[in-house]
Amino acid sequence: GVFFLDHLLDKVAWMQTIEKDQGAFDETVLEVVGLEARERGEEGYDSECAKHVFPNARGNHEVALYALCWWRVSERWGGPFGARGSTVIHFADPRLADVNHVVGARGLAEPAILHHFAGRSKDWNEMLEQFGMSRRATADCRQVYDHVDAMAAQHSCVPGAEAVWPGVRCM
């Protein structure tokens, strides 16, 4: 909701975080489940993982240390993997649905609710081709919105049915 987004946007100016905005997003998740823990009378999140969001003294990111800390804290305040709970955040069980599939070598072949073009190896031309727009058209937000609306109007997402893009199935 707006509460989560407000807390995330408070961190937009953070510099040198892991995976650009990923660290700010991940910290916001921990803060929110920590606030909920406090509401239940528990200790809550004390930003113990935040030290790993930024580079160490040598300028290196310690992503593995952050990930280990994040998993430990999210389990403590949100519950175990596959059964996390929150009144603000809906945690999807990744064994049931790929909510944020990072498009890589497998392309769009994997069924997912959301295909996320991310990482250093992203091919902008391939992304735009899959999206069905020219690079020039993406400079105009109205054209992008109209294209998305037109594509969405062509298909309804019924579990197991083909989605907006050919070869992609709705979960």
Side-chain angles (χ1 to χ4, degrees):
V2 175
F3 176 78
F4 182 89
L5 185 58
D6 284 343
H7 281 345
L8 175 59
L9 292 176
D10 285 344
K11 299 171 193 65
V12 163
W14 284 9
M15 301 294 289
Q16 302 287 323
T17 62
I18 56 173
E19 299 298 324
K20 299 190 175 40
D21 59 352
Q22 189 66 49
F25 177 84
D26 293 345
E27 275 299 290
T28 303
V29 169
L30 295 180
E31 289 171 354
V32 169
V33 295
L35 286 170
E36 290 178 302
R38 279 204 178 110
E39 287 294 313
R40 294 189 304 265
E42 300 172 49
E43 181 183 334
Y45 179 57
D46 66 358
S47 300
E48 66 195 78
C49 299
K51 63 185 174 194
H52 301 299
V53 170
F54 301 98
N56 63 19
R58 287 183 232 108
N60 300 315
H61 284 104
E62 297 176 312
V63 178
L65 292 176
Y66 184 77
L68 290 170
C69 188
W70 192 95
W71 286 109
R72 186 182 72 255
V73 170
S74 66
E75 186 166 295
R76 184 183 328 141
W77 303 127
F81 173 81
R84 281 188 179 56
S86 167
T87 59
V88 178
I89 301 167
H90 178 80
F91 290 95
D93 185 340
R95 296 169 297 185
L96 302 177
D98 191 347
V99 185
N100 189 12
H101 176 77
V102 177
V103 176
R106 298 171 294 181
L108 298 174
E110 300 286 327
I113 293 172
L114 174 72
H115 285 87
H116 179 193
F117 292 92
R120 294 179 186 94
S121 62
K122 62 178 151 243
D123 179 345
W124 289 98
N125 292 326
E126 174 67 18
M127 287 188 320
L128 291 170
E129 183 179 317
Q130 293 292 334
F131 190 58
M133 290 196 78
S134 70
R135 187 176 209 126
R136 176 179 219 105
T138 63
D140 180 349
C141 290
R142 178 51 39 211
Q143 285 186 47
V144 174
Y145 296 144
D146 290 345
H147 177 75
V148 169
D149 290 343
M151 294 294 285
Q154 292 175 16
H155 300 276
S156 60
C157 193
V158 176
E162 190 158 296
V164 175
W165 287 272
V168 177
R169 304 193 78 66
C170 292
M171 298 294 288

